[in-house]
Amino acid sequence: MPPPADLRRPDSRRHSLDDLLTLMAVLRDPDHGCPWDIKQHWDTIVPHTLEEAYEVADAIERRAFDELPGELGDLLFQVVYYSQFGREEGRFDFDDVVDTLTAKMLRRHPHVFPDGTLHSRRGSGGDAESQVAERQVKTRWEALKAEEREARVTDGAGASALDDIPTALPALSRAAKLSKRAAGQGFDWPDERGVIDKIREELAEVESALAEGDRAHAQEEVGDLLFAVVNLARRLGCDPEQQLRGTNAKFEWRFRYVERALAASDSATDRASLEEMERHWQAAKREENASRS
């Protein structure tokens, strides 16, 4: 696929990964580089990495595929940045990143690369065989990751199923990963009804704490309530972060609708009654539903 028109160059030559690595090395050059890039270090780039990952997710969810090459490039640039730091400190370089990743994927996909090399291939099978293979793949994948976690343990305490879940993840995403890991060890409800009962239990505890005037306890119970809801999302096979982003977008559209409707009648949200805002809110929902039908 050709690059977007605004990224094409007069000589029509497309830049390569080597060009990108060279660009980064020059940006970090103490004598000829960019003053801002020269000052950066491991910790200062992390916030940019998180932001770029979210921008990739946002472009995909909006189906803004024309923006995606640029957003993916920004995310790739973060990997190049860390690789440059590693090279400067004699720890690793970009080639080590690629080699480590490729070796790990080969190791985790013996059903595709039976000899553990890029040149080996699995045999073909029918639909039934593919379904069985998919289940085996998931089981094998988790087993291999568990082996890798065990290999990284150095304190003698033994590996936990909850190891290597990054603490920097958004809380909803980390809760989903924690509960998924625990469920993989058999620590789970037998069905969705059990999770819904747990949600009701946690909500009752919030209400009880509020009734007692203990707001600190109520706040703690809200965390438990959110964790229970995350478990329901897991049981339903959806990502809680993604679902909440969708709800955020829906709320934003409806509230902006209310603002526009009030402005059309020479009013505003800070002057309108709750009943009036609710009436416009319901109108927004009806318009939203009509657009989907």
Side-chain angles (χ1 to χ4, degrees):
M1 179 182 295
D6 60 340
L7 297 182
R8 294 177 188 145
R9 291 162 297 283
D11 61 3
S12 72
R13 187 184 74 85
R14 303 187 69 178
H15 288 309
S16 67
L17 182 55
D18 285 341
D19 292 333
L20 180 59
L21 295 173
T22 298
L23 180 145
M24 174 53 71
V26 174
L27 288 176
R28 292 277 297 171
D29 185 277
D31 298 321
H32 309 291
C34 169
W36 186 88
D37 289 285
I38 292 170
K39 290 193 304 182
Q40 302 313 304
H41 52 81
W42 299 98
D43 296 326
T44 61
I45 296 299
V46 169
H48 298 283
T49 306
L50 297 174
E51 180 180 345
E52 299 301 351
Y54 282 121
E55 290 183 0
V56 168
D58 177 65
I60 291 172
E61 289 174 1
R62 291 187 290 110
R63 294 298 185 262
F65 295 116
D66 57 328
E67 301 175 17
L68 201 51
E71 299 297 353
L72 288 169
D74 291 342
L75 185 57
L76 173 61
F77 197 63
Q78 307 304 301
V79 179
V80 171
Y81 232 125
Y82 296 124
S83 299
Q84 179 66 23
F85 292 153
R87 190 173 74 85
E88 292 169 1
E89 297 176 10
R91 300 176 185 275
F92 62 88
D93 59 17
F94 188 81
D95 288 341
D96 293 317
V97 173
V98 173
D99 180 66
T100 301
L101 172 61
T102 304
K104 180 168 64 177
M105 291 299 106
L106 286 171
R107 185 171 63 251
R108 290 185 177 179
H109 292 81
H111 52 289
V112 178
F113 306 102
D115 295 339
T117 69
L118 283 173
H119 304 293
S120 58
R121 296 291 185 273
R122 71 174 178 86
S124 59
D127 291 342
E129 182 178 336
S130 297
Q131 292 174 6
V132 172
E134 185 176 354
R135 290 195 295 271
Q136 293 173 338
V137 166
K138 292 179 180 178
T139 302
R140 177 61 177 161
W141 180 273
E142 293 302 327
L144 285 167
K145 290 199 293 186
E147 291 173 8
E148 291 168 5
R149 288 195 294 271
E150 186 73 43
R152 287 196 292 267
V153 172
T154 57
D155 60 5
S160 166
L162 305 183
D163 284 345
D164 73 13
I165 299 178
T167 56
L169 280 174
L172 285 178
S173 293
R174 191 160 194 269
K177 286 185 174 292
L178 288 168
S179 64
K180 181 180 179 182
R181 289 278 184 87
Q185 302 299 307
F187 192 67
D188 197 10
W189 292 270
D191 54 33
E192 288 76 16
R193 178 56 55 187
V195 191
I196 293 172
D197 289 342
K198 183 63 175 177
I199 291 171
R200 291 197 178 102
E201 175 189 328
E202 299 297 352
L203 180 57
E205 291 183 3
V206 173
E207 293 174 332
S208 175
L210 288 174
E212 295 171 1
D214 192 343
R215 297 187 69 84
H217 186 204
Q219 291 168 355
E220 180 183 345
E221 293 298 342
V222 166
D224 294 345
L225 176 61
L226 287 171
F227 194 87
V229 172
V230 166
N231 272 281
L232 180 58
R234 174 181 58 80
R235 294 290 310 213
L236 295 176
C238 59
D239 174 34
E241 283 282 346
Q242 190 173 38
Q243 298 307 122
L244 186 55
R245 283 198 299 271
T247 296
N248 288 344
K250 183 166 56 178
F251 177 88
E252 183 178 6
W253 186 89
R254 291 176 183 175
F255 191 79
R256 289 178 184 275
Y257 181 101
V258 171
E259 289 177 318
R260 291 193 300 271
L262 290 171
S265 59
D266 295 323
S267 185
T269 52
D270 59 350
R271 299 195 304 273
S273 67
L274 182 57
E275 290 76 12
E276 188 178 5
M277 287 192 284
E278 177 64 20
R279 179 165 53 84
H280 291 306
W281 180 271
Q282 294 301 326
K285 290 177 64 175
R286 288 192 295 273
E287 183 170 323
E288 198 173 54
N289 291 333
S291 68
R292 286 200 292 261
S293 60

